[in-house]
Amino acid sequence: MAKRILIIGSLNMDMVIEMKAMPKVGETVLGDTLTYVPGGKGANQTYAAGKIGGNVTMLGCVGDDSIGEILIQNLAASGANTSAIRRVDGKPTGTAVIYVNEEGNNSIVVVSGANFACDVAYLKEYDHLIAETDYVMLQMEIPYDTVFYAIRRASELGKTVILNPAPAPLPEQIPEDIWGKIDYFTPNETELLKLTGQDILSMENVKKGAESLIQKGVKHVLVTLGDKGVFFHDGKNTEVFPARKVEAVDTTAAGDCFSGAFVTGLAEGKSIADAVAMANLASSLAVTRKGAQSSIPTRQELDELMKHN
Ligand code: RIB
């Protein structure tokens, strides 16, 4: 039986606006379509793990509104356990406004709402879920104190900790003791550069950034590079795992799909290389479809693809 996965993070309803080009500051543009899609980095990763067959539970908060119910129901349909998700009185469910341009690239603004009620007291109430799981995965759309508490608690209990540092904080916002408690760190290249105080996007800086995180104590760094694949560093070896070439229509949640599929692969007992390969294929399917959770493939689709790649 696959090991257990606990994902702690955000749930948002995404308002996706497709347009030719994003507006510049002070400019008005006309959008082509407006769609509502279940999202939120925590929920997207949970949804991906659930659809791909992981034994996954989510901790997170929605508001006491109908949108929160829709998000929970959609997530439960992936196979994930949603019974501990909290409905918070008097708070709106998190919302994200997502602009997607003609090239399929996005810009996102999140209005956190109930996600900020995902506090340490709530996690303490569900401490048994941390104690019972094997993998704990987090992102950074809930209060930082909660993220750091969960990492310390999971590490103390000997769990495997995965942090997807999105949206990326400033380097000084991560307490020094946290780095050594992270088993797998999965930033994209922009997040990695921000976290390591660099401005210029280059492979050389990605390597430099990953190396500096290893020096701080992170055990494995996996930098998602979009169509260039994934850069891996574990302190001994570095490697680039290539991406499958596809025509992207919307890259929203591609990183979430990667993280959710990666942890599912690890929980199934796959090697890191095989879990990355599966996660790369999962996100190559996700970018060919629109939206966040609406873009995540099923295990059957993934298995089909894995036979030929
Ligand atoms: O990573 C994509 C996600 O970021 C969206 O679903 C949006 O809700 C924001 O959390």
Side-chain angles (χ1 to χ4, degrees):
M1 166 121 171
K3 291 186 170 171
R4 284 159 298 186
I5 304 163
L6 177 66
I7 300 185
I8 306 171
S10 57
L11 301 98
N12 298 324
M13 179 56 89
D14 293 349
M15 288 175 63
V16 185
I17 305 171
E18 291 180 79
M19 62 197 68
K20 291 200 174 30
M22 310 229 181
K24 297 181 191 69
V25 173
E27 187 188 23
T28 302
V29 299
L30 298 185
D32 297 329
T33 58
L34 166 63
T35 324
Y36 291 83
V37 185
K41 294 183 195 301
N44 296 343
Q45 294 176 12
T46 307
Y47 190 89
K51 269 216 137 173
I52 293 166
N55 181 355
V56 61
T57 297
M58 180 168 183
L59 282 177
C61 297
V62 295
D64 57 349
D65 46 28
S66 57
I67 294 175
E69 290 307 318
I70 294 170
L71 295 186
I72 292 174
Q73 274 175 31
N74 190 66
L75 194 54
S78 74
N81 180 349
T82 58
S83 58
I85 293 176
R86 170 168 289 176
R87 293 155 177 88
V88 183
D89 285 345
K91 293 267 180 216
T93 294
T95 306
V97 179
I98 305 186
Y99 290 171
V100 180
N101 69 9
E102 251 181 349
E103 285 82 46
N105 295 319
N106 63 64
S107 285
I108 305 181
V109 179
V110 175
V111 183
S112 300
N115 289 307
F116 265 60
C118 183
D119 57 16
V120 172
Y122 165 59
L123 292 202
K124 285 188 172 167
E125 210 178 301
Y126 286 99
D127 191 58
H128 63 281
L129 292 180
I130 305 180
E132 285 161 9
T133 200
D134 299 288
Y135 295 87
V136 175
M137 188 153 85
L138 296 128
Q139 328 70 36
M140 305 205 72
E141 280 185 338
I142 56 173
Y144 289 175
D145 281 355
T146 310
V147 173
F148 303 143
Y149 169 80
I151 291 174
R152 290 183 181 121
R153 181 71 182 133
S155 164
E156 180 180 65
L157 293 170
K159 310 300 171 184
T160 301
V161 174
I162 299 142
L163 178 62
N164 171 233
L170 293 166
E172 58 272 23
Q173 288 177 296
I174 302 209
E176 277 308 310
D177 73 292
I178 290 297
W179 297 108
K181 298 180 171 68
I182 301 172
D183 294 289
Y184 297 93
F185 194 64
T186 62
N188 66 25
E189 45 196 330
T190 320
E191 289 153 359
L192 175 83
L193 294 182
K194 182 171 175 192
L195 276 158
T196 54
Q198 304 183 87
D199 310 316
I200 299 164
L201 203 61
S202 69
M203 203 52 202
E204 199 185 318
N205 285 348
V206 167
K207 286 183 186 158
K208 222 193 284 174
E211 177 59 34
S212 73
L213 296 179
I214 293 284
Q215 293 306 324
K216 284 175 184 252
V218 176
K219 298 190 187 60
H220 305 88
V221 179
L222 294 121
V223 187
T224 52
L225 307 168
D227 60 5
K228 296 189 290 303
V230 171
F231 174 79
F232 170 80
H233 190 11
D234 66 357
K236 288 187 223 101
N237 303 308
T238 61
E239 190 167 346
V240 175
F241 294 98
R244 174 173 159 255
K245 298 280 166 248
V246 290
E247 199 64 48
V249 298
D250 181 357
T251 58
T252 308
D256 298 331
C257 182
F258 176 87
S259 290
F262 174 66
V263 71
T264 305
L266 291 183
E268 286 174 2
K270 288 192 191 313
S271 66
I272 296 174
D274 287 349
V276 171
M278 178 167 91
N280 265 346
L281 289 179
S283 48
S284 80
L285 284 168
V287 300
T288 62
R289 298 164 189 175
K290 293 182 181 178
Q293 286 163 41
S294 50
S295 71
I296 309 285
T298 62
R299 181 58 185 246
Q300 210 181 345
E301 290 173 301
L302 197 50
D303 282 343
E304 208 40 53
L305 202 57
M306 285 197 283
K307 276 190 215 153
H308 308 290
N309 285 273

